[in-house]
Coordinates of all heavy atoms in Angstrom, one line a residue:
M783 N -0.8 -14.1 -2.9 CA -1.7 -13.2 -3.6 C -0.9 -12.2 -4.4 O 0.1 -11.6 -3.9 CB -2.6 -12.4 -2.6 CG -3.5 -11.4 -3.3 SD -4.5 -10.4 -2.1 CE -5.9 -11.6 -1.9
K784 N -1.2 -12.1 -5.7 CA -0.6 -11.1 -6.6 C -1.0 -9.7 -6.2 O -2.1 -9.5 -5.8 CB -0.8 -11.5 -8.0 CG -0.3 -12.8 -8.5 CD -0.7 -13.1 -9.9 CE -0.1 -12.1 -10.9 NZ -0.4 -12.5 -12.3
L785 N -0.2 -8.7 -6.6 CA -0.6 -7.3 -6.3 C -1.9 -6.9 -7.0 O -2.7 -6.3 -6.5 CB 0.6 -6.4 -6.7 CG 0.6 -5.0 -6.2 CD1 0.3 -4.9 -4.8 CD2 1.9 -4.3 -6.6
S786 N -2.0 -7.4 -8.3 CA -3.3 -7.1 -9.0 C -4.5 -7.7 -8.3 O -5.6 -7.1 -8.3 CB -3.2 -7.6 -10.4 OG -3.0 -9.0 -10.5
E787 N -4.3 -8.9 -7.7 CA -5.4 -9.5 -7.0 C -5.8 -8.7 -5.7 O -6.9 -8.6 -5.4 CB -5.0 -11.0 -6.6 CG -4.9 -11.9 -7.8 CD -4.3 -13.3 -7.5 OE1 -3.6 -13.4 -6.5 OE2 -4.5 -14.2 -8.3
L788 N -4.7 -8.2 -5.1 CA -5.0 -7.4 -3.9 C -5.7 -6.1 -4.3 O -6.7 -5.7 -3.6 CB -3.6 -7.0 -3.2 CG -3.8 -6.2 -2.0 CD1 -4.6 -6.8 -0.9 CD2 -2.4 -5.8 -1.4
Q789 N -5.3 -5.5 -5.4 CA -6.0 -4.3 -5.9 C -7.5 -4.6 -6.2 O -8.3 -3.9 -5.8 CB -5.3 -3.7 -7.1 CG -4.1 -2.9 -6.9 CD -3.6 -2.2 -8.1 OE1 -2.6 -2.5 -8.7 NE2 -4.4 -1.2 -8.6
N790 N -7.7 -5.7 -6.8 CA -9.1 -6.1 -7.2 C -9.9 -6.4 -5.9 O -11.1 -6.0 -5.8 CB -9.1 -7.3 -8.1 CG -8.7 -6.9 -9.5 OD1 -8.8 -5.7 -9.9 ND2 -8.1 -7.9 -10.2
H791 N -9.3 -7.1 -4.9 CA -9.9 -7.4 -3.7 C -10.4 -6.1 -3.0 O -11.5 -6.0 -2.6 CB -9.0 -8.2 -2.8 CG -9.5 -8.4 -1.4 ND1 -10.6 -9.2 -1.1 CD2 -9.1 -8.0 -0.3 CE1 -10.8 -9.2 0.1 NE2 -9.9 -8.4 0.7
I792 N -9.5 -5.2 -2.9 CA -9.8 -3.9 -2.2 C -10.9 -3.2 -2.9 O -11.8 -2.6 -2.3 CB -8.5 -3.1 -2.0 CG1 -7.6 -3.8 -1.0 CG2 -8.8 -1.7 -1.5 CD1 -6.1 -3.2 -0.9
K793 N -10.7 -3.2 -4.3 CA -11.7 -2.4 -5.0 C -13.1 -3.0 -4.9 O -14.1 -2.3 -5.0 CB -11.3 -2.4 -6.5 CG -12.1 -1.5 -7.4 CD -11.5 -1.5 -8.8 CE -12.2 -0.4 -9.7 NZ -11.6 -0.3 -11.0
S794 N -13.2 -4.3 -4.6 CA -14.5 -5.0 -4.5 C -15.3 -4.4 -3.3 O -16.6 -4.6 -3.3 CB -14.4 -6.5 -4.4 OG -13.8 -6.8 -3.2
F795 N -14.7 -3.9 -2.3 CA -15.5 -3.4 -1.2 C -15.1 -2.0 -0.7 O -15.8 -1.5 0.2 CB -15.3 -4.4 0.0 CG -14.0 -4.5 0.5 CD1 -13.5 -3.7 1.5 CD2 -13.1 -5.5 0.0 CE1 -12.2 -3.8 2.0 CE2 -11.9 -5.7 0.5 CZ -11.4 -4.8 1.5
D796 N -14.0 -1.4 -1.3 CA -13.6 -0.1 -0.8 C -13.1 0.7 -2.0 O -11.9 0.6 -2.3 CB -12.5 -0.2 0.2 CG -12.2 1.1 0.9 OD1 -12.8 2.1 0.5 OD2 -11.3 1.1 1.8
H797 N -14.0 1.4 -2.7 CA -13.7 2.1 -3.9 C -14.6 3.3 -4.0 O -15.8 3.2 -4.2 CB -13.8 1.3 -5.1 CG -13.4 1.9 -6.4 ND1 -12.1 2.4 -6.6 CD2 -14.0 2.2 -7.5 CE1 -12.0 2.9 -7.8 NE2 -13.1 2.8 -8.4
A798 N -14.0 4.5 -3.8 CA -14.8 5.8 -3.9 C -14.0 6.8 -4.8 O -13.2 7.5 -4.3 CB -15.0 6.4 -2.5
P799 N -14.3 6.6 -6.1 CA -13.5 7.4 -7.1 C -13.5 8.9 -6.9 O -12.6 9.6 -7.3 CB -14.1 7.0 -8.4 CG -14.8 5.8 -8.2 CD -15.3 5.8 -6.8
D800 N -14.5 9.4 -6.2 CA -14.6 10.9 -6.0 C -13.9 11.3 -4.7 O -13.9 12.5 -4.4 CB -16.1 11.3 -5.9 CG -16.8 11.0 -7.2 OD1 -16.2 11.0 -8.3 OD2 -18.0 10.8 -7.1
L801 N -13.2 10.4 -4.0 CA -12.5 10.8 -2.8 C -11.1 10.4 -2.7 O -10.6 9.9 -1.7 CB -13.3 10.1 -1.6 CG -14.8 10.4 -1.4 CD1 -15.3 9.5 -0.3 CD2 -14.9 11.9 -1.1
P802 N -10.3 10.9 -3.7 CA -8.9 10.6 -3.7 C -8.1 11.2 -2.5 O -7.3 10.6 -1.9 CB -8.3 11.1 -5.0 CG -9.3 12.1 -5.4 CD -10.6 11.7 -4.9
E803 N -8.6 12.4 -2.0 CA -8.0 13.0 -0.9 C -8.2 12.2 0.4 O -7.3 12.1 1.2 CB -8.6 14.5 -0.7 CG -8.3 15.4 -1.8 CD -9.4 15.4 -2.9 OE1 -10.2 14.5 -2.9 OE2 -9.3 16.2 -3.9
H804 N -9.4 11.6 0.5 CA -9.6 10.7 1.7 C -8.6 9.6 1.8 O -8.0 9.4 2.8 CB -11.0 10.1 1.6 CG -11.3 9.0 2.5 ND1 -11.4 9.1 3.8 CD2 -11.3 7.7 2.2 CE1 -11.6 7.9 4.4 NE2 -11.5 7.0 3.4
Y805 N -8.4 8.9 0.6 CA -7.4 7.8 0.7 C -6.0 8.3 0.9 O -5.2 7.6 1.5 CB -7.6 7.0 -0.7 CG -8.9 6.2 -0.7 CD1 -9.9 6.7 -1.5 CD2 -9.0 5.0 -0.1 CE1 -11.1 6.0 -1.5 CE2 -10.2 4.3 -0.1 CZ -11.2 4.8 -0.9 OH -12.5 4.2 -0.9
F806 N -5.7 9.4 0.3 CA -4.3 10.0 0.5 C -4.1 10.3 2.0 O -3.0 10.0 2.5 CB -4.1 11.2 -0.4 CG -2.7 11.8 -0.3 CD1 -1.6 11.1 -0.8 CD2 -2.5 12.9 0.4 CE1 -0.4 11.6 -0.6 CE2 -1.2 13.4 0.6 CZ -0.1 12.7 0.0
L807 N -5.1 11.0 2.6 CA -4.9 11.3 4.0 C -4.8 10.0 4.8 O -4.0 10.0 5.8 CB -6.0 12.2 4.4 CG -6.0 13.6 3.9 CD1 -7.2 14.4 4.3 CD2 -4.7 14.4 4.3
K808 N -5.6 9.0 4.5 CA -5.5 7.7 5.2 C -4.1 7.1 5.1 O -3.5 6.6 6.0 CB -6.6 6.7 4.8 CG -8.0 7.1 5.2 CD -8.1 7.0 6.7 CE -8.0 5.7 7.3 NZ -8.1 5.6 8.8
L809 N -3.6 7.2 3.8 CA -2.2 6.7 3.6 C -1.2 7.4 4.5 O -0.4 6.7 5.1 CB -1.8 6.9 2.1 CG -0.4 6.6 1.7 CD1 0.0 5.2 2.0 CD2 -0.2 7.0 0.3
I810 N -1.3 8.7 4.6 CA -0.3 9.5 5.4 C -0.5 9.1 6.9 O 0.5 8.9 7.6 CB -0.5 11.0 5.2 CG1 -0.2 11.3 3.7 CG2 0.4 11.8 6.1 CD1 1.1 10.9 3.2
E811 N -1.8 8.9 7.3 CA -2.1 8.5 8.7 C -1.4 7.1 9.0 O -0.8 6.9 10.0 CB -3.6 8.4 8.9 CG -4.0 7.9 10.2 CD -5.5 7.8 10.3 OE1 -6.2 8.7 9.9 OE2 -6.0 6.8 10.9
E812 N -1.5 6.2 8.0 CA -0.9 4.9 8.2 C 0.7 5.0 8.2 O 1.3 4.2 8.9 CB -1.4 3.9 7.1 CG -2.9 3.6 7.2 CD -3.3 3.0 8.6 OE1 -2.5 2.6 9.3 OE2 -4.5 3.1 8.8
V813 N 1.2 5.9 7.4 CA 2.7 6.1 7.4 C 3.1 6.5 8.8 O 4.1 6.1 9.3 CB 3.1 7.0 6.3 CG1 4.6 7.4 6.5 CG2 2.9 6.4 4.9
G814 N 2.3 7.4 9.4 CA 2.6 7.8 10.8 C 2.5 6.7 11.7 O 3.4 6.5 12.7
E815 N 1.5 5.8 11.6 CA 1.4 4.6 12.4 C 2.6 3.7 12.3 O 3.1 3.0 13.2 CB 0.1 3.9 12.2 CG -1.1 4.7 12.7 CD -2.4 4.1 12.5 OE1 -2.5 2.9 12.0 OE2 -3.5 4.7 12.7
L816 N 3.1 3.6 11.0 CA 4.2 2.7 10.7 C 5.5 3.3 11.4 O 6.3 2.5 12.0 CB 4.4 2.7 9.2 CG 5.7 1.9 8.7 CD1 5.7 0.5 9.2 CD2 5.8 2.0 7.2
A817 N 5.6 4.6 11.4 CA 6.8 5.2 12.1 C 6.7 4.9 13.6 O 7.7 4.6 14.2 CB 6.8 6.7 11.9
E818 N 5.5 5.0 14.2 CA 5.4 4.7 15.6 C 5.7 3.2 15.9 O 6.4 2.9 16.9 CB 3.9 5.0 16.0 CG 3.7 4.8 17.5 CD 2.2 5.2 17.9 OE1 1.4 5.5 17.0 OE2 2.0 5.1 19.1
A819 N 5.3 2.3 15.0 CA 5.6 0.9 15.2 C 7.0 0.6 15.1 O 7.6 -0.2 15.9 CB 4.8 0.0 14.2
I820 N 7.7 1.2 14.2 CA 9.2 1.1 14.1 C 9.9 1.6 15.3 O 10.7 0.9 15.9 CB 9.7 1.8 12.8 CG1 9.2 1.0 11.5 CG2 11.2 1.9 12.8 CD1 9.5 1.8 10.2
R821 N 9.4 2.8 15.8 CA 10.0 3.4 17.0 C 9.8 2.5 18.2 O 10.6 2.4 19.1 CB 9.4 4.8 17.3 CG 10.0 5.8 16.3 CD 9.3 7.2 16.5 NE 9.1 7.6 17.9 CZ 10.0 8.3 18.6 NH1 11.1 8.7 18.1 NH2 9.7 8.6 19.9
N822 N 8.6 1.8 18.2 CA 8.3 0.9 19.4 C 9.0 -0.4 19.2 O 8.9 -1.3 20.2 CB 6.8 0.7 19.5 CG 6.2 2.0 20.0 OD1 6.8 2.9 20.6 ND2 4.9 2.2 19.7
G823 N 9.6 -0.7 18.1 CA 10.4 -1.9 17.9 C 9.5 -3.2 17.7 O 10.0 -4.3 18.0
K824 N 8.2 -3.0 17.3 CA 7.4 -4.2 17.1 C 7.6 -4.7 15.7 O 6.8 -4.6 14.8 CB 5.9 -3.7 17.2 CG 5.6 -3.3 18.6 CD 4.1 -3.0 18.8 CE 3.7 -2.8 20.2 NZ 2.2 -2.5 20.4
V825 N 8.8 -5.4 15.6 CA 9.2 -5.9 14.3 C 9.1 -7.4 14.2 O 8.6 -8.1 15.1 CB 10.7 -5.5 14.0 CG1 10.9 -4.0 14.0 CG2 11.6 -6.2 15.1
G826 N 9.3 -7.9 13.0 CA 9.2 -9.4 12.8 C 7.8 -9.8 12.4 O 6.9 -8.9 12.2
Q827 N 7.7 -11.1 12.1 CA 6.4 -11.6 11.6 C 5.5 -11.9 12.9 O 5.9 -12.9 13.6 CB 6.5 -12.8 10.8 CG 5.2 -13.4 10.2 CD 4.5 -12.4 9.3 OE1 5.0 -11.9 8.4 NE2 3.3 -12.1 9.7
P828 N 4.5 -11.1 13.1 CA 3.7 -11.4 14.4 C 2.7 -12.5 14.2 O 2.3 -12.8 13.1 CB 3.1 -10.0 14.6 CG 2.8 -9.5 13.2 CD 4.0 -10.0 12.4
S829 N 2.2 -13.0 15.3 CA 1.1 -13.9 15.4 C -0.2 -13.0 15.3 O -0.1 -11.7 15.4 CB 1.1 -14.7 16.7 OG 0.9 -13.8 17.8
L830 N -1.3 -13.6 15.2 CA -2.6 -12.8 15.2 C -2.7 -11.9 16.5 O -3.1 -10.8 16.4 CB -3.8 -13.7 15.1 CG -5.2 -13.0 15.0 CD1 -5.2 -12.1 13.8 CD2 -6.2 -14.1 15.0
E831 N -2.3 -12.5 17.6 CA -2.3 -11.8 18.9 C -1.4 -10.6 19.0 O -1.6 -9.7 19.7 CB -2.1 -12.8 20.1 CG -3.1 -13.9 20.2 CD -3.0 -15.0 19.2 OE1 -1.9 -15.2 18.7 OE2 -4.0 -15.7 18.9
E832 N -0.3 -10.7 18.2 CA 0.8 -9.7 18.3 C 0.6 -8.7 17.1 O 1.4 -7.7 17.1 CB 2.1 -10.4 18.1 CG 2.4 -11.3 19.2 CD 3.7 -12.2 18.9 OE1 3.9 -12.5 17.7 OE2 4.3 -12.7 19.9
L833 N -0.4 -8.9 16.2 CA -0.4 -8.1 15.0 C -0.7 -6.6 15.2 O -0.1 -5.8 14.6 CB -1.5 -8.6 14.1 CG -1.7 -8.0 12.7 CD1 -0.4 -8.1 11.9 CD2 -2.8 -8.6 11.9
K834 N -1.6 -6.3 16.2 CA -2.0 -4.9 16.4 C -0.9 -4.0 16.7 O -0.1 -4.2 17.7 CB -3.1 -4.9 17.5 CG -3.8 -3.6 17.6 CD -4.7 -3.4 16.4 CE -5.4 -2.0 16.4 NZ -6.0 -1.7 15.1
G835 N -0.7 -3.0 15.9 CA 0.4 -2.0 16.2 C 1.8 -2.4 15.8 O 2.8 -1.7 16.1
S836 N 1.9 -3.5 15.1 CA 3.2 -4.0 14.7 C 3.6 -3.4 13.3 O 2.8 -2.8 12.6 CB 3.2 -5.6 14.5 OG 2.4 -5.9 13.4
V837 N 4.9 -3.5 13.0 CA 5.4 -3.0 11.7 C 4.6 -3.7 10.6 O 4.3 -3.1 9.6 CB 6.9 -3.2 11.6 CG1 7.4 -2.9 10.2 CG2 7.6 -2.2 12.6
A838 N 4.5 -5.0 10.8 CA 3.8 -5.8 9.8 C 2.4 -5.3 9.5 O 2.0 -5.1 8.3 CB 3.7 -7.3 10.2
E839 N 1.6 -5.0 10.5 CA 0.3 -4.5 10.3 C 0.3 -3.1 9.6 O -0.5 -2.8 8.7 CB -0.5 -4.3 11.7 CG -1.9 -3.8 11.5 CD -2.6 -3.4 12.7 OE1 -2.0 -2.9 13.7 OE2 -3.8 -3.5 12.7
E840 N 1.2 -2.2 10.1 CA 1.2 -0.9 9.5 C 1.7 -0.9 8.1 O 1.3 -0.1 7.3 CB 2.0 0.1 10.4 CG 1.5 0.1 11.9 CD 0.0 0.4 12.1 OE1 -0.7 0.8 11.1 OE2 -0.6 0.0 13.1
L841 N 2.7 -1.8 7.8 CA 3.1 -1.9 6.4 C 2.0 -2.3 5.5 O 1.7 -1.8 4.4 CB 4.3 -2.9 6.3 CG 5.6 -2.4 6.6 CD1 6.7 -3.5 6.6 CD2 6.1 -1.3 5.6
Y842 N 1.2 -3.3 6.0 CA 0.0 -3.7 5.2 C -1.0 -2.5 5.0 O -1.5 -2.4 3.9 CB -0.7 -4.9 5.9 CG -1.9 -5.2 5.1 CD1 -1.9 -6.0 3.9 CD2 -3.2 -4.7 5.4 CE1 -2.9 -6.3 3.1 CE2 -4.3 -5.0 4.6 CZ -4.2 -5.7 3.5 OH -5.3 -6.0 2.7
D843 N -1.2 -1.8 6.1 CA -2.2 -0.7 6.0 C -1.7 0.3 4.9 O -2.5 0.9 4.2 CB -2.3 0.0 7.3 CG -3.1 -0.8 8.4 OD1 -3.7 -1.8 7.9 OD2 -3.0 -0.5 9.5
V844 N -0.4 0.6 4.9 CA 0.2 1.5 3.9 C 0.0 0.9 2.5 O -0.5 1.6 1.6 CB 1.7 1.8 4.2 CG1 2.4 2.4 2.9 CG2 1.9 2.6 5.4
L845 N 0.2 -0.4 2.3 CA 0.0 -1.0 1.0 C -1.4 -1.0 0.6 O -1.7 -0.7 -0.5 CB 0.5 -2.5 1.1 CG 0.3 -3.3 -0.1 CD1 1.1 -2.7 -1.3 CD2 0.8 -4.8 0.1
Y846 N -2.3 -1.1 1.6 CA -3.8 -1.1 1.3 C -4.2 0.3 0.7 O -4.8 0.3 -0.3 CB -4.5 -1.3 2.6 CG -6.0 -1.2 2.5 CD1 -6.8 -2.4 2.5 CD2 -6.7 0.0 2.5 CE1 -8.2 -2.3 2.4 CE2 -8.1 0.1 2.3 CZ -8.8 -1.1 2.3 OH -10.2 -1.0 2.2
Y847 N -3.7 1.3 1.3 CA -4.1 2.7 0.8 C -3.3 3.0 -0.5 O -3.9 3.8 -1.3 CB -4.0 3.7 1.9 CG -5.2 3.6 2.8 CD1 -4.9 3.1 4.1 CD2 -6.4 3.8 2.4 CE1 -6.0 2.9 5.0 CE2 -7.5 3.6 3.3 CZ -7.3 3.2 4.6 OH -8.3 3.0 5.4
V848 N -2.2 2.5 -0.7 CA -1.5 2.6 -2.0 C -2.4 2.0 -3.1 O -2.6 2.5 -4.2 CB -0.1 2.1 -2.0 CG1 0.5 1.9 -3.3 CG2 0.8 2.9 -1.1
C849 N -2.8 0.8 -2.8 CA -3.7 0.1 -3.7 C -5.0 0.8 -4.0 O -5.5 0.9 -5.1 CB -4.0 -1.4 -3.2 SG -2.5 -2.5 -3.3
A850 N -5.6 1.3 -2.9 CA -6.8 2.0 -3.1 C -6.7 3.2 -4.0 O -7.5 3.6 -4.8 CB -7.4 2.4 -1.7
L851 N -5.6 4.0 -3.8 CA -5.3 5.1 -4.6 C -5.0 4.7 -6.0 O -5.5 5.4 -7.0 CB -4.1 5.9 -4.0 CG -4.4 6.9 -2.9 CD1 -3.1 7.4 -2.3 CD2 -5.2 8.1 -3.5
A852 N -4.3 3.7 -6.2 CA -4.0 3.2 -7.6 C -5.3 2.8 -8.3 O -5.5 3.1 -9.5 CB -3.1 2.0 -7.5
N853 N -6.2 2.2 -7.5 CA -7.5 1.9 -8.1 C -8.3 3.1 -8.6 O -8.9 3.2 -9.7 CB -8.4 1.1 -7.1 CG -7.9 -0.3 -6.9 OD1 -7.1 -0.8 -7.8 ND2 -8.2 -0.9 -5.8
I854 N -8.3 4.2 -7.8 CA -9.0 5.4 -8.1 C -8.4 6.0 -9.4 O -9.2 6.5 -10.3 CB -8.8 6.5 -7.0 CG1 -9.7 6.0 -5.8 CG2 -9.2 7.9 -7.5 CD1 -9.6 7.0 -4.6
Y855 N -7.1 5.9 -9.6 CA -6.5 6.5 -10.8 C -6.3 5.5 -11.9 O -5.7 5.7 -12.9 CB -5.1 7.1 -10.4 CG -5.4 8.4 -9.5 CD1 -5.1 8.3 -8.2 CD2 -5.8 9.6 -10.1 CE1 -5.3 9.5 -7.4 CE2 -6.1 10.7 -9.3 CZ -5.8 10.6 -8.0 OH -6.0 11.7 -7.2
D856 N -7.0 4.3 -11.8 CA -7.0 3.2 -12.8 C -5.5 2.8 -13.1 O -5.2 2.7 -14.3 CB -7.8 3.7 -14.0 CG -8.2 2.5 -14.9 OD1 -8.3 1.3 -14.3 OD2 -8.4 2.7 -16.1
I857 N -4.7 2.7 -12.1 CA -3.3 2.3 -12.3 C -3.1 0.9 -11.9 O -3.5 0.5 -10.8 CB -2.4 3.2 -11.4 CG1 -2.4 4.6 -12.0 CG2 -1.0 2.7 -11.4 CD1 -1.9 5.7 -11.0
N858 N -2.5 0.1 -12.8 CA -2.2 -1.3 -12.5 C -0.7 -1.3 -11.9 O 0.2 -1.0 -12.7 CB -2.3 -2.2 -13.7 CG -1.9 -3.6 -13.5 OD1 -0.9 -3.9 -12.9 ND2 -2.8 -4.5 -14.0
L859 N -0.6 -1.6 -10.7 CA 0.8 -1.5 -10.0 C 1.7 -2.5 -10.6 O 2.9 -2.3 -10.5 CB 0.6 -1.5 -8.5 CG 0.0 -0.4 -7.9 CD1 -0.3 -0.6 -6.4 CD2 0.8 0.9 -8.0
E860 N 1.2 -3.7 -11.0 CA 2.1 -4.6 -11.6 C 2.7 -4.1 -12.9 O 4.0 -4.3 -13.1 CB 1.4 -6.0 -11.8 CG 1.1 -6.7 -10.5 CD 0.4 -8.0 -10.8 OE1 0.2 -8.4 -11.9 OE2 0.1 -8.7 -9.8
Q861 N 1.9 -3.5 -13.7 CA 2.4 -3.0 -15.0 C 3.4 -1.8 -14.7 O 4.4 -1.6 -15.4 CB 1.3 -2.5 -15.9 CG 0.5 -3.6 -16.4 CD -0.7 -3.1 -17.3 OE1 -0.8 -1.9 -17.6 NE2 -1.6 -4.1 -17.7
T862 N 3.0 -1.0 -13.7 CA 3.9 0.1 -13.3 C 5.2 -0.4 -12.8 O 6.3 0.2 -13.1 CB 3.2 0.9 -12.2 OG1 2.0 1.4 -12.7 CG2 4.1 2.2 -11.9
H863 N 5.2 -1.5 -12.0 CA 6.5 -2.1 -11.6 C 7.3 -2.5 -12.8 O 8.6 -2.2 -12.8 CB 6.2 -3.4 -10.8 CG 7.4 -4.3 -10.7 ND1 8.4 -4.0 -9.8 CD2 7.7 -5.5 -11.3 CE1 9.3 -5.0 -9.9 NE2 8.9 -5.8 -10.8
D864 N 6.8 -3.1 -13.8 CA 7.5 -3.5 -15.0 C 8.1 -2.3 -15.7 O 9.4 -2.3 -16.1 CB 6.6 -4.3 -16.0 CG 6.2 -5.6 -15.4 OD1 6.8 -6.1 -14.4 OD2 5.2 -6.2 -16.0
L865 N 7.4 -1.2 -15.8 CA 7.9 0.0 -16.4 C 9.0 0.6 -15.6 O 10.1 1.1 -16.1 CB 6.8 1.0 -16.7 CG 5.7 0.6 -17.6 CD1 4.5 1.6 -17.6 CD2 6.2 0.3 -19.0
K866 N 8.8 0.7 -14.3 CA 9.8 1.3 -13.4 C 11.1 0.5 -13.4 O 12.2 1.0 -13.2 CB 9.3 1.4 -12.0 CG 8.4 2.6 -11.8 CD 9.2 4.0 -11.9 CE 10.1 4.2 -10.7 NZ 10.8 5.5 -10.8
E867 N 11.0 -0.8 -13.5 CA 12.2 -1.7 -13.6 C 13.0 -1.3 -14.7 O 14.3 -1.2 -14.6 CB 11.8 -3.2 -13.6 CG 11.5 -3.8 -12.3 CD 12.7 -3.9 -11.4 OE1 13.6 -4.6 -11.7 OE2 12.7 -3.2 -10.4
V868 N 12.4 -1.0 -15.9 CA 13.2 -0.6 -17.1 C 13.9 0.7 -16.8 O 15.1 0.9 -17.0 CB 12.3 -0.4 -18.3 CG1 13.0 0.2 -19.5 CG2 11.7 -1.8 -18.7
L869 N 13.1 1.7 -16.2 CA 13.7 3.0 -15.9 C 14.8 2.9 -14.9 O 15.9 3.5 -15.0 CB 12.6 4.0 -15.4 CG 11.6 4.4 -16.4 CD1 10.5 5.3 -15.8 CD2 12.2 5.1 -17.6
N870 N 14.6 2.1 -13.8 CA 15.5 2.0 -12.7 C 16.8 1.3 -13.2 O 17.9 1.6 -12.7 CB 14.9 1.3 -11.5 CG 13.9 2.2 -10.8 OD1 13.9 3.4 -11.0 ND2 13.1 1.5 -10.0
K871 N 16.7 0.3 -14.0 CA 17.9 -0.4 -14.5 C 18.8 0.6 -15.3 O 20.0 0.5 -15.2 CB 17.5 -1.6 -15.4 CG 17.0 -2.8 -14.7 CD 16.6 -3.9 -15.6 CE 16.1 -5.1 -14.8 NZ 15.5 -6.2 -15.6
A872 N 18.2 1.5 -16.1 CA 19.0 2.5 -16.8 C 19.5 3.5 -15.9 O 20.7 3.9 -15.9 CB 18.1 3.1 -17.8
K873 N 18.7 3.9 -14.9 CA 19.1 5.0 -14.0 C 20.2 4.6 -13.0 O 21.2 5.4 -12.8 CB 17.9 5.5 -13.2 CG 18.2 6.7 -12.3 CD 16.9 7.2 -11.6 CE 17.2 8.4 -10.7 NZ 15.9 8.9 -10.1
Y874 N 20.1 3.3 -12.5 CA 21.1 2.9 -11.5 C 22.0 1.9 -12.1 O 22.8 1.2 -11.3 CB 20.3 2.3 -10.3 CG 19.4 3.3 -9.7 CD1 18.0 3.2 -9.8 CD2 19.9 4.3 -8.9 CE1 17.2 4.1 -9.2 CE2 19.1 5.3 -8.3 CZ 17.7 5.2 -8.5 OH 16.9 6.1 -7.9
N875 N 22.0 1.7 -13.4 CA 23.0 0.9 -14.1 C 23.1 -0.5 -13.5 O 24.1 -1.0 -13.2 CB 24.4 1.5 -14.0 CG 25.3 0.9 -15.1 OD1 24.9 0.4 -16.1 ND2 26.6 0.9 -14.8
R876 N 21.9 -1.2 -13.3 CA 21.9 -2.6 -12.7 C 21.3 -3.6 -13.7 O 20.8 -3.3 -14.7 CB 21.1 -2.6 -11.4 CG 19.8 -1.9 -11.4 CD 19.1 -2.0 -10.1 NE 17.7 -2.0 -10.4 CZ 16.7 -1.6 -9.5 NH1 17.1 -1.4 -8.3 NH2 15.5 -1.5 -9.9
Ligands
MG917 MG1 -2.8 1.2 10.9

């Protein structure tokens, strides 16, 4: 799945343009859960039975709320990636 497809998928059922603070706080909550998963060592690609509380699940949750926030601000993350690549190549000389 492309990032733009993920953004569109999330927007189709979870989009509240008037509540950016809600999505931001959820993002921070998920970052905390990611930290806990890393500390607990639940790494690697889990099976469905192992997914709950794993780094994989919490990384996805973080990505979910990044996409939801991007949707609120009408930001296409794929286009942003292309622009940042230009800036980063110049900044880091790569
Ligand atoms: Mg989570």
